[in-house]
Amino acid sequence: CHQALADLSQLVAAQPVPLYIVAVGEPRETVAAFFARRPPPPGAVVVLDPDSSAARRFGQTRFPTTFLIDGAGRIRHINRGYGPGYLGRLRRWLAGMLAPGAPPCATETTPA
């Protein structure tokens, strides 16, 4: 998760998009302490999922799981776990989502 967070920071620095980080199964204090040591990317929103209910609904099966969601709220890509090629995949997927003629993607979001 730590390296994925660093890669996500690089990604949003190069292509500003909304970033929501969901802390699954951890109490508020633990999450606050983690992000005090490793600040999230600028503009990122940290959301707590202490009972893992959102993770289950989204089908999260391992950590970290990264979802790319378009402006219509559709999951367009899912990356489960972290390994070689993670950042490259996210860059390619995001570029495809933002390409001319692609279905619209949100550049701003309003939490539901």
Side-chain angles (χ1 to χ4, degrees):
C1 289
H2 300 180
Q3 188 57 47
L5 185 58
D7 285 354
L8 288 171
S9 292
Q10 282 185 44
L11 184 72
V12 298
Q15 178 62 58
V17 293
L19 176 62
Y20 291 84
I21 300 169
V22 181
V24 178
E26 296 290 345
R28 179 181 303 274
E29 298 77 22
T30 302
V31 174
F34 175 83
F35 284 114
R37 291 187 312 275
R38 293 173 192 84
V45 176
V46 178
V47 180
L48 301 177
D49 183 18
D51 64 359
S52 305
S53 60
R56 283 191 302 277
R57 264 197 338 253
F58 271 80
Q60 190 239 358
T61 57
R62 61 187 195 197
F63 293 99
T65 297
T66 306
F67 296 90
L68 296 183
I69 301 172
D70 69 16
R74 294 180 306 246
I75 297 172
R76 298 274 299 278
H77 300 283
I78 302 172
N79 192 91
R80 291 181 171 86
Y82 181 84
Y86 174 81
L87 182 57
R89 265 190 308 283
L90 294 183
R91 284 182 173 147
R92 276 193 317 278
W93 291 343
L94 188 58
M97 290 172 65
L98 298 174
C105 292
T107 53
E108 291 184 32
T109 60
T110 304

